């Protein structure tokens, strides 16, 4: 995918920063944000990739507000979205958000190639690329590792479900207060 090499290099640069820091705590600036504009901002960043691949995207208004660090939360969103684009040759990527008690649940779902069951437990390991990443030959195995690391700093839990040939669903559970 044209443009993917640049995005992969950016992830590696962030990786050097995050891996070198004992804690990102001193770099966090927590504020309240509306979720939908953050999602739309991430989609805009990759709009050329959506257009080039002919992918549909759904970002409905959810009315959710979250307490987070915009820079680091956006990094996670963009990494998840980039992977969804990279591994979705046709179809769509959709977002949905909802309040669930004191938490906000964000789901990012694609109609891509999916992740093999045997690879799924390891996708957050540093350097793990799995079957799809080895086939792609440009995967670094750093993006989701960093995404989970950042999510932990923000108090966000991340879970992934996937089915080969059907797609992948990533769920971020965002607490009202950061740990």
């Amino acid at each position: 995918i044209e443009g993917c090499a640049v995005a992969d290099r950016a992830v590696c640069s962030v990786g050097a920063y995050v891996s070198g820091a004992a804690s990102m705590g001193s770099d966090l600036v927590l504020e309240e944000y509306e979720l939908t504009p953050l999602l739309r901002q991430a989609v805009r960043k990759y709009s050329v990739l959506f257009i080039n691949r002919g992918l549909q995207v759904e970002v409905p208004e959810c009315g959710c507000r979250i307490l987070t660090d915009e820079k680091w939360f956006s990094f996670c969103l963009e990494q998840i979205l980039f992977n969804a684009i990279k591994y979705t040759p046709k179809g769509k990527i959709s977002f949905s958000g909802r309040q669930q008690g004191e938490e906000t649940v964000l789901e990012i779902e694609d109609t891509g190639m999916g992740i093999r069951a045997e690879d799924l437990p390891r996708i957050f390991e540093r350097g793990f690329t799995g079957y799809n990443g080895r086939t792609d030959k440009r995967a670094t195995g750093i993006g989701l590792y960093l995404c989970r690391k950042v999510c932990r700093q923000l108090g966000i839990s991340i879970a992934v479900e996937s089915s080969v040939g059907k797609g992948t669903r990533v769920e971020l559970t965002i607490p009202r207060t950061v740990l």
Side-chain angles (χ1 to χ4, degrees):
I1 303 170
E2 190 175 312
C4 287
V6 172
D8 281 341
R9 282 195 300 274
V11 168
C12 288
S13 296
V14 171
Y17 173 79
V18 173
S19 296
S23 170
M24 295 169 24
S26 62
D27 191 41
L28 296 179
V29 178
L30 301 176
E31 294 182 30
E32 191 173 51
Y33 294 93
E34 286 189 37
L35 181 57
T36 304
L38 294 176
L39 302 177
R40 289 187 177 142
Q41 177 182 310
V43 168
R44 256 191 314 278
K45 179 174 181 173
Y46 294 120
S47 60
V48 171
L49 295 177
F50 277 104
I51 292 166
N52 287 345
R53 298 203 96 194
L55 296 174
Q56 297 175 353
V57 64
E58 293 178 0
V59 186
E61 187 68 48
C62 71
C64 300
R65 297 187 65 78
I66 61 171
L67 181 65
T68 195
D69 177 285
E70 180 184 20
K71 175 179 80 171
W72 290 110
F73 182 75
S74 293
F75 168 80
C76 289
L77 270 182
E78 290 165 9
Q79 182 57 48
I80 294 164
L81 182 57
F82 178 70
N83 280 357
I85 294 168
K86 185 163 51 168
Y87 296 113
T88 304
K90 62 180 179 173
K92 73 176 179 178
I93 298 168
S94 57
F95 294 86
S96 65
R98 68 182 185 282
Q99 290 300 138
Q100 187 172 295
E102 291 295 311
E103 300 172 325
T104 299
V105 177
L106 169 63
E107 293 179 356
I108 303 111
E109 191 165 0
D110 66 55
T111 59
M113 61 180 61
I115 302 166
R116 289 182 168 193
E118 61 268 24
D119 288 346
L120 206 49
R122 299 188 58 204
I123 61 172
F124 295 109
E125 290 179 17
R126 183 180 186 154
F128 182 76
T129 58
Y131 177 80
N132 294 342
R134 285 187 299 281
T135 302
D136 179 53
K137 293 188 178 40
R138 291 178 295 197
T140 61
I142 298 296
L144 288 178
Y145 162 77
L146 293 174
C147 187
R148 175 176 262 178
K149 194 167 185 164
V150 170
C151 281
R152 285 181 176 157
Q153 288 288 318
L154 294 172
I156 297 171
S157 69
I158 181 170
V160 179
E161 295 177 357
S162 191
S163 181
V164 173
K166 294 186 179 179
T168 301
R169 186 176 68 83
V170 178
E171 183 177 280
L172 299 177
T173 304
I174 308 158
R176 183 65 196 126
T177 57
V178 176
L179 303 175

